[in-house]
Amino acid sequence: MKTLEFKVDFNSVVKLVDDVIIPKMYKMRQHFETPRLSDYMEKLKKELEKKKHILKTLKGKRYV
């Protein structure tokens, strides 16, 4: 396996960004409401009912 080597001239990079002003940064946190299912079994039943035709086509099949 061939290894590639390269060198970066950091002095030229520093010269490029030397006059760039970096703004002051602040650390922030954001909280989002997490939706909760009050009756998860009912939701599961509804979703499975929607997919009933797909489940019928999978009956007896196995994952290999």
Side-chain angles (χ1 to χ4, degrees):
M1 186 169 152
K2 189 175 182 178
T3 304
L4 299 175
E5 292 186 28
F6 66 94
K7 293 182 181 182
V8 176
D9 180 17
F10 284 106
N11 289 329
S12 61
V13 174
V14 169
K15 287 178 187 174
L16 278 172
V17 296
D18 192 37
D19 61 339
V20 174
I21 298 171
I22 299 175
K24 191 170 184 175
M25 301 285 182
Y26 294 95
K27 186 176 182 178
M28 298 183 74
R29 288 191 177 178
Q30 187 172 4
H31 296 280
F32 296 96
E33 280 189 38
T34 306
R36 305 259 186 227
L37 284 176
S38 58
D39 190 4
Y40 61 91
M41 288 302 289
E42 189 61 36
K43 176 70 173 170
L44 179 61
K45 286 177 186 176
K46 285 180 182 178
E47 290 299 317
L48 287 173
E49 189 65 37
K50 288 181 193 176
K51 308 293 184 203
K52 201 173 196 175
H53 64 283
I54 295 172
L55 294 173
K56 284 182 182 179
T57 63
L58 297 175
K59 188 174 182 176
K61 295 187 178 180
R62 297 184 318 174
Y63 177 76
V64 181

